[in-house]
Amino acid sequence: WEHFEIDGTHYVAVANYAHAGDTNEHAIDSKIYQFTGSSFAEFQSIPTVGASDWEHFEIDGTHYLAVANLKLDEEQFVIDSKIYYWTGTSFVEFQ
């Protein structure tokens, strides 16, 4: 997971690797949670494939999240990782 802050709001990005009960199914959304003042609530769901980690970084005032996608199934390990950028209201795929 990765904690980060944008404009005073706290977020946590959680990488989901596999479906519960079926560890061979890796196409599963990962989640971004927003701190509401007393707890974290789901803020955004992002399609991932065997996600293993998130990293937040900022360049010239723009916030980015990079996700490390690991594998689709037991035979397919060549999966692109993705970078998302903050639009001011949500993260969208950058590359």
Side-chain angles (χ1 to χ4, degrees):
W1 55 268
E2 176 79 356
H3 167 264
F4 56 97
E5 184 178 344
I6 299 175
D7 298 328
T9 302
H10 293 269
Y11 298 89
V12 174
V14 177
N16 288 321
Y17 178 74
H19 285 277
D22 186 357
T23 58
N24 291 321
E25 177 58 45
H26 299 283
I28 181 173
D29 289 355
S30 290
K31 307 292 183 177
I32 300 172
Y33 296 91
Q34 181 183 61
F35 189 64
T36 65
S38 60
S39 64
F40 283 91
E42 185 176 324
F43 173 75
Q44 187 173 352
S45 183
I46 295 181
T48 54
V49 184
S52 62
D53 194 22
W54 285 99
E55 287 294 327
H56 168 264
F57 56 99
E58 184 179 351
I59 300 173
D60 295 330
T62 300
H63 293 269
Y64 296 89
L65 276 176
V67 62
N69 288 316
L70 182 60
K71 66 179 182 174
L72 180 59
D73 57 35
E74 295 305 313
E75 297 178 8
Q76 295 182 5
F77 287 89
V78 181
I79 301 295
D80 290 336
S81 293
K82 304 283 184 181
I83 299 173
Y84 298 84
Y85 76 95
W86 179 249
T87 67
T89 57
S90 66
F91 284 94
V92 297
E93 189 174 324
F94 177 69
Q95 68 180 57

